[in-house]
Amino acid sequence: MTTITIGVDLAKNVFSVCSANAAGRVLDRKDLRREAFAAYLVQLPPGTRVAMEACSGAHYWGRRCVELGLQPHLM
């Protein structure tokens, strides 16, 4: 199965990222710094759902996701 959802815990410097498949099974977890997270988003296929907490930085990352053809979901 392919990854369809990316869960992100936004923080000041290091973001925790978790990817899950269509069945909800966690495929991998990683901690990424801001620059590495931006590069990670670029390599995701268009249409991937990126779920993140609705905090002050979430709107910025949500706009970046839209620019890359991803589907941001702020909770």
Side-chain angles (χ1 to χ4, degrees), residues 7 9-11 13 15 20 23 25-26 28-30 34 36 43 55 65 72 75:
D9 180 19
L10 300 172
N13 295 314
F15 302 161
R25 181 184 170 110
V26 174
D28 69 343
R29 293 183 177 112
K30 55 181 85 178
R34 288 178 170 272
Q43 58 91 26
C55 65
C65 288
M75 298 175 258

Side-chain angles (χ1 to χ4, degrees), residues 9-28:
D9 180 19
L10 300 172
K12 189 179 249 185
N13 295 314
V14 179
F15 302 161
S16 294
V17 179
C18 175
S19 61
N21 63 14
R25 181 184 170 110
V26 174
L27 301 175
D28 69 343

Side-chain angles (χ1 to χ4, degrees), residues 2-67:
T2 61
T3 301
I4 63 157
T5 303
I6 305 296
V8 183
D9 180 19
L10 300 172
K12 189 179 249 185
N13 295 314
V14 179
F15 302 161
S16 294
V17 179
C18 175
S19 61
N21 63 14
R25 181 184 170 110
V26 174
L27 301 175
D28 69 343
R29 293 183 177 112
K30 55 181 85 178
D31 292 332
L32 301 171
R33 299 191 70 73
R34 288 178 170 272
E35 302 80 20
F37 180 64
Y40 177 76
L41 289 177
V42 170
Q43 58 91 26
L44 293 174
T48 300
R49 179 181 303 149
V50 181
M52 62 190 93
E53 60 185 321
C55 65
S56 59
H59 297 284
Y60 168 79
W61 290 108
R63 288 189 301 272
R64 293 281 303 263
C65 288
V66 169
E67 291 170 0

